[in-house]
Each structure stands twice: as structure tokens, then as C-alpha cells.
Amino acid sequence: MTLVRWPCPTGKPSRPSRRPWWPGRTANTAVLRDATHWDDVVTELGFEHLRRHDLRHTGLTWFADAGVPLHVLRKIAGHGSLTTTQRYLHPDADQITAAGAALSAHLMMLRAPRSLPLTAMAAV
């Protein structure tokens, strides 16, 4: 992405901007949807129900699946609290099943009879 200088209506020097839209327009959903032809693309792909915001949830979930810590995800998303970021994460059924299996294995280890130390075995 290149930096561009938009003319300032007050005549003061303008600062560089990364805005991909034209001067006088704000970055709202309609502007971005039109600039990216979002509706046409998702319709052609058969995902008419898909919103760009849904991709934030998907992206953050993928980051979390890759092991990125929650506090880093919060910064990436620009959230003010970890609670907000947690609402964006959606583990899949396999992850939930694996977590349950891990807990079961851990509990089985705690319940398993412990063997006697080797010194106690020698005394018998």
C-alpha cells in the first residue's frame, strides 16, 4: 500500500494517509463494499450471507488456533478488553472433543493407583 497526500481544504499541509478511498468520503461499510465489489464477489461464490465482519471472527480464530496468545489477539483486533476478543474466538467441534479427551486422560492419571516406590518393593 502506498502513502498518498490528499489536498487539505484549509490550505494547511496534509499528512500522509493510507486511505484507499477518495477525499471527502469516510470509510463506512457502504464505501468499502462498493470499492471492493463485495456483493458481486460473495454472490458469485455462493456466499450471499457472508459479511466482512464475519472474516474478523474467522481470522482471529485462526490466529488463536495457531497459538497466538489472547493478549496479542486483543491488540491485533484493536479491542479494549480481553472479554471482547474472547467473543470472537470460535473453537471447532474437534478442538472441544480434544479438550474433553485431554481432561479425561488427566483425571484418569489422578485416579490411577500409584505404584509403590522401588525401595518399598525391595523391602517386601
Side-chain angles (χ1 to χ4, degrees):
M1 184 180 301
T2 60
L3 293 176
V4 295
R5 289 195 179 272
W6 299 111
C8 181
T10 62
K12 295 179 183 174
S14 62
R15 64 179 183 190
S17 173
R18 293 184 188 272
R19 297 184 300 181
W21 50 92
W22 48 95
R25 301 278 313 255
T26 57
N28 60 34
T29 300
V31 170
L32 292 174
R33 186 175 53 237
D34 293 345
T36 60
H37 305 285
W38 179 263
D39 294 333
D40 299 332
V41 171
V42 294
T43 300
E44 187 175 324
L45 294 173
F47 295 108
E48 298 85 5
H49 64 282
L50 184 66
R51 301 165 300 158
R52 282 187 336 276
H53 188 79
D54 297 333
L55 299 178
R56 283 178 56 92
H57 288 253
T58 302
L60 288 173
T61 298
W62 286 354
F63 271 120
D65 290 348
V68 176
L70 187 60
H71 69 280
V72 175
L73 294 177
R74 182 188 68 80
K75 290 292 249 182
I76 290 170
H79 293 151
S81 74
L82 292 174
T83 304
T84 302
T85 304
Q86 287 173 319
R87 286 188 212 125
Y88 277 68
L89 306 181
H90 308 286
D92 63 18
D94 291 340
Q95 290 173 315
I96 294 169
T97 302
L103 176 61
S104 293
H106 177 72
L107 293 175
M108 292 301 283
M109 291 295 293
L110 293 177
R111 287 184 174 180
R114 299 197 176 147
S115 60
L116 295 173
L118 290 178
T119 55
M121 293 288 284
V124 175

